[in-house]
């Protein structure tokens, strides 16, 4: 093979993947490996940092072997990763001092509540764009320093390194020569000032974190350095880094302000590009850095649906009305509408724009005529309604009107769900040919830095659409459905008492 390829390392919450892309942005080879989820106690979620590393490097080696190439034919490496997950290791031995504390981990919730009572939430939001929550890295890092024996002393002596997953992988890929992160990952730590684009001394003091522990902050697309020759047959430039959702935004080529993408996974992650402006939300959304390329920063608004595809899994595993997740489409399409049934999939509370952890799943409007098919359709609609609410919140915050939604993730393969989504919005839904947009975004960022692609415009011109969905429901009907949905949400809220 003479043509060079770009290697994307996609380090996710449950598996590590390596994908080789060609010049047209097509997937050539893929390798994937799952790894263990560790639950030491209810609400705690950990990963073994060595397993994150070993699974990622093994799939990288495997995909190169599958392609029958050497490192000479890899033009560059782009890295994308699960965000907020926190790793601390010894600067001299590269030994982690504790397991990685995963973004889902809730062990610092009470500490976050204390900080809220002390009045820190507004200042944290102003500096970081984030809601004060255990989700982000800062309180996880503080917990490690406070609870691992000798950690704080070593940190203050400059002997420890903190990193999100991208930083850990690059440290290992370069055998400790590079201690870096990019702006998109830094913006998820709750230690990064999105205005100054640097670590914030006031926040470091609040969380009692020594600055020496923190990596150098880089752009999302630049040649940072090269891999160690012990890992590949030759040195390969590491040239792109982005957190998974920001990488997907770039992979979808949402490069203009107002463009929105949604990833339909277990949950749903929506990002709207707000351009060079950091837009602060009045609707419980997060403000985050999308990327920095050629010295220019793009910001984004972000909102999350806690239960997206997981609602379909519940139909399969809980209600047992389908055998496979994909069966939901066939079952739901046997009825013309929901028969008056509405399902609010608040199985773990409601995310943006409600942020109600005490809401619970609610199936309402059931009559004697309600069938499994109506419930299946109401489930697909429940996912689409939640996405609708977040986009409307984004439009209000950014003072803009969306004209389309770009989609990816497993559930976006459902034509029926995409049609329902288009009908609710009254505009088109665009599904790309490559649904692996997270890895593709990382590949694009790396490829731009090494000249594999000469410009963002070049990439945009070759973006291939699989299918567009146009609305075909009249506005009066969709408005009536939305009205019923919002009544159902009210009934689902605050179900569990504190």
């Amino acid at each position: 093979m003479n043509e060079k390829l770009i290697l994307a390392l996609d380090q996710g919450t449950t598996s590590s993947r390596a994908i080789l892309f060609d010049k047209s942005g097509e997937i050539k080879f893929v390798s994937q490996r799952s790894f263990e989820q560790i639950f030491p106690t209810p609400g705690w979620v950990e990963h073994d940092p060595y397993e994150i590393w070993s699974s990622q490097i093994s799939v990288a080696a495997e995909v190169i072997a599958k392609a029958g190439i050497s490192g000479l034919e890899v033009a560059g490496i782009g890295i994308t990763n699960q965000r907020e997950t926190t790793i601390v290791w010894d600067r001299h031995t590269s030994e982690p001092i504790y397991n990685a504390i995963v973004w889902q981990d809730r062990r610092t919730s009470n500490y976050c509540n204390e900080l809220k009572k002390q009045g820190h939430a507004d200042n944290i939001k102003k500096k970081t764009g984030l809601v004060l929550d255990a989700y982000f890295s800062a309180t996880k890092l503080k917990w490690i320093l406070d609870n691992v024996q000798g950690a704080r002393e070593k940190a203050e002596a400059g002997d420890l390194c903190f990193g999100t997953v991208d930083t850990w992988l690059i440290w290992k890929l370069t055998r400790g020569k590079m201690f870096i992160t990019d702006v998109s990952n830094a913006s998820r730590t709750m230690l990064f000032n999105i205005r100054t684009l640097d670590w914030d001394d006031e926040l470091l003091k609040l969380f009692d974190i020594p600055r020496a522990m923190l990596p150098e902050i880089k752009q999302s697309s630049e040649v940072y350095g090269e891999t160690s020759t012990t890992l590949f047959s030759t040195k390969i430039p590491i040239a792109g880094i982005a957190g998974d959702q920001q990488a997907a935004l770039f992979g979808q080529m949402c490069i203009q302000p107002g463009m929105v993408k949604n990833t339909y996974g277990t949950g749903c992650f929506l990002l709207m590009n707000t351009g060079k402006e950091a837009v602060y939300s009045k609707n419980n959304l997060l403000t985050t850095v999308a990327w920095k390329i050629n010295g220019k920063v793009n910001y984004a608004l972000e909102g999350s649906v806690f239960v997206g595809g997981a609602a379909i899994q519940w139909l399969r595993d809980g209600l047992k009305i389908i055998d496979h997740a994909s069966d939901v489409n066939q079952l739901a399409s046997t009825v013309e509408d929901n028969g008056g049934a509405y399902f609010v999939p608040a199985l773990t509370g409601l995310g943006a724009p409600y942020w109600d952890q005490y809401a619970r799943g609610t199936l309402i409007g059931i009559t004697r005529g309600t069938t499994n098919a109506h419930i299946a359709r109401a489930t697909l609609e429940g996912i689409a309604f939640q996405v609708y609410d977040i986009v409307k919140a984004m439009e209000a915050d950014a003072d803009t009107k969306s004209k389309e939604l770009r989609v990816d993730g497993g559930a976006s393969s459902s034509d029926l769900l995409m049609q329902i989504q288009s009908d609710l919005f009254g505009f088109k839904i665009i599904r790309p040919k490559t649904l692996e947009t997270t890895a593709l975004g990382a590949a694009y960022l790396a490829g731009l830095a090494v000249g594999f692609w000469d410009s963002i415009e070049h990439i945009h011109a070759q973006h291939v659409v699989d299918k567009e969905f146009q609305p075909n429901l009249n506005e009066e009907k969709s408005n009536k459905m939305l009205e019923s949905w919002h009544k159902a949400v009210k009934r689902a809220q605050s179900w569990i008492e504190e």
Side-chain angles (χ1 to χ4, degrees):
M1 184 180 289
N2 295 322
E3 186 197 4
K4 286 205 169 192
L5 300 171
I6 288 282
L7 174 61
L9 303 182
D10 182 358
Q11 205 300 302
T13 308
T14 57
S15 69
S16 296
R17 280 187 298 175
I19 304 180
L20 284 166
F21 290 93
D22 68 11
K23 269 239 165 65
S24 64
E26 294 266 343
I27 293 173
K28 301 303 286 183
F29 299 93
V30 184
S31 188
Q32 180 168 350
R33 186 163 300 180
S34 299
F35 57 88
E36 187 186 2
Q37 307 295 301
I38 303 164
F39 306 104
T41 192
W44 292 27
V45 190
E46 296 177 0
H47 293 155
D48 178 347
Y50 284 124
E51 204 177 358
I52 289 175
W53 164 243
S54 63
S55 61
Q56 188 63 77
I57 196 62
S58 65
V59 291
E62 188 172 279
V63 82
I64 286 172
K66 272 186 187 176
I69 60 174
S70 73
L72 287 168
E73 285 145 303
V74 179
I77 294 174
I79 293 171
T80 184
N81 54 283
Q82 52 168 317
R83 304 172 303 171
E84 298 96 20
T85 295
T86 300
I87 307 173
V88 177
W89 64 94
D90 186 292
R91 187 182 293 275
H92 311 292
T93 65
S94 300
E95 297 272 327
I97 66 164
Y98 190 77
N99 273 345
I101 302 182
V102 179
W103 58 274
Q104 299 156 317
D105 189 282
R106 304 303 300 169
R107 77 186 68 188
T108 60
S109 294
N110 289 339
Y111 173 58
C112 289
N113 291 337
E114 283 172 34
L115 290 174
K116 284 174 193 168
K117 283 176 191 163
Q118 292 165 16
H120 292 293
D122 286 347
N123 190 40
I124 285 172
K125 184 170 184 181
K126 188 173 147 193
K127 285 172 175 283
T128 68
L130 306 175
V131 175
L132 174 48
D133 193 84
Y135 183 56
F136 305 105
S137 311
T139 61
K140 303 179 197 298
L141 173 51
K142 179 177 166 55
W143 187 93
I144 291 173
L145 293 181
D146 289 346
N147 289 277
V148 175
Q149 192 174 356
R152 186 160 291 287
E153 293 79 4
K154 287 184 79 174
E156 282 164 3
D159 293 330
L160 293 183
C161 295
F162 151 73
T164 43
V165 170
D166 56 308
T167 302
W168 170 242
L169 291 178
I170 291 170
W171 177 274
K172 296 295 282 179
L173 282 166
T174 62
R175 304 190 80 193
K177 286 197 179 82
M178 304 205 64
F179 183 39
I180 62 168
T181 189
D182 90 300
V183 287
S184 73
N185 279 293
S187 75
R188 310 299 295 189
T189 60
M190 218 157 65
L191 297 169
F192 178 81
N193 188 314
I194 58 172
R195 294 288 190 190
T196 64
L197 301 177
D198 196 5
W199 303 120
D200 189 275
D201 288 327
E202 189 183 350
L203 294 177
L204 292 176
K205 188 176 177 186
L206 175 66
F207 293 110
D208 198 11
I209 291 164
R211 194 181 178 104
M213 291 187 77
L214 305 181
E216 185 184 351
I217 301 162
K218 298 283 197 177
Q219 299 193 94
S220 310
S221 177
E222 62 174 288
V223 177
Y224 313 109
E226 295 175 321
T227 57
S228 161
T229 50
T230 57
L231 298 169
F232 300 102
S233 59
T234 184
K235 292 180 178 181
I236 303 172
I238 302 168
I241 312 170
D244 52 11
Q245 299 310 319
Q246 290 98 325
L249 188 70
F250 196 71
Q252 285 275 28
M253 283 285 100
C254 292
I255 51 177
Q256 298 299 327
M259 294 181 79
V260 189
K261 76 89 192 170
N262 180 33
T263 299
Y264 295 84
T266 304
C268 295
F269 289 92
L270 288 99
L271 270 77
M272 173 188 274
N273 186 334
T274 61
K276 61 181 190 298
E277 295 300 319
V279 174
Y280 286 91
S281 177
K282 297 183 181 71
N283 294 287
N284 293 316
L285 303 175
L286 305 176
T287 306
T288 197
V289 177
W291 52 73
K292 183 179 182 183
I293 302 171
N294 296 329
K296 292 177 183 168
V297 175
N298 267 64
Y299 292 93
L301 280 167
E302 178 172 332
S304 305
V305 171
F306 292 157
V307 175
I312 299 167
Q313 292 164 355
W314 177 71
L315 294 184
R316 181 191 66 199
D317 304 334
L319 289 190
K320 301 190 187 301
I321 64 173
I322 53 174
D323 293 325
H324 306 283
S326 56
D327 296 343
V328 70
N329 301 304
Q330 189 177 351
L331 180 59
S333 62
T334 60
V335 288
E336 280 186 25
D337 55 34
N338 59 24
Y342 287 81
F343 177 34
V344 183
L347 308 180
T348 56
L350 281 169
Y354 304 102
W355 285 110
D356 183 352
Q357 62 182 315
Y358 303 110
R360 284 298 176 267
T362 304
L363 188 53
I364 201 162
I366 304 167
T367 66
R368 287 190 65 179
T370 304
T371 66
N372 282 356
H374 292 116
I375 292 170
R377 191 172 185 100
T379 302
L380 292 178
E381 289 176 355
I383 298 168
F385 284 131
Q386 292 179 101
V387 170
Y388 175 93
D389 285 345
I390 291 180
V391 172
K392 289 298 158 187
M394 287 175 166
E395 288 180 350
D397 282 334
D399 192 22
T400 186
K401 284 283 181 195
S402 301
K403 298 182 183 69
E404 64 182 40
L405 176 68
R406 299 192 172 198
V407 301
D408 54 64
S412 71
S413 60
S414 165
D415 283 6
L416 179 56
L417 175 56
M418 295 303 99
Q419 187 58 54
I420 291 167
Q421 195 75 79
S422 180
D423 289 342
L424 290 178
F425 278 124
F427 57 61
K428 66 183 174 184
I429 305 296
I430 299 172
R431 185 172 66 200
K433 186 177 176 190
T434 300
L435 290 178
E436 298 292 350
T437 55
T438 302
L440 183 59
Y444 283 160
L445 290 167
L448 281 169
V450 297
F452 190 76
W453 291 289
D454 55 23
S455 66
I456 295 174
E457 292 72 28
H458 173 191
I459 294 170
H460 188 257
Q462 66 179 32
H463 188 71
V464 182
V465 172
D466 167 51
K467 193 166 183 180
E468 289 189 2
F469 298 85
Q470 299 285 352
N472 61 16
L473 191 69
N474 72 63
E475 197 174 343
E476 188 184 347
K477 181 79 193 288
S478 65
N479 285 343
K480 193 162 175 41
M481 287 171 66
L482 287 159
E483 190 182 323
S484 298
W485 159 255
H486 289 126
K487 278 165 68 178
V489 169
K490 282 193 176 73
R491 285 155 176 77
Q493 285 181 287
S494 304
W495 182 255
I496 302 295
E497 292 180 13
E498 237 178 300

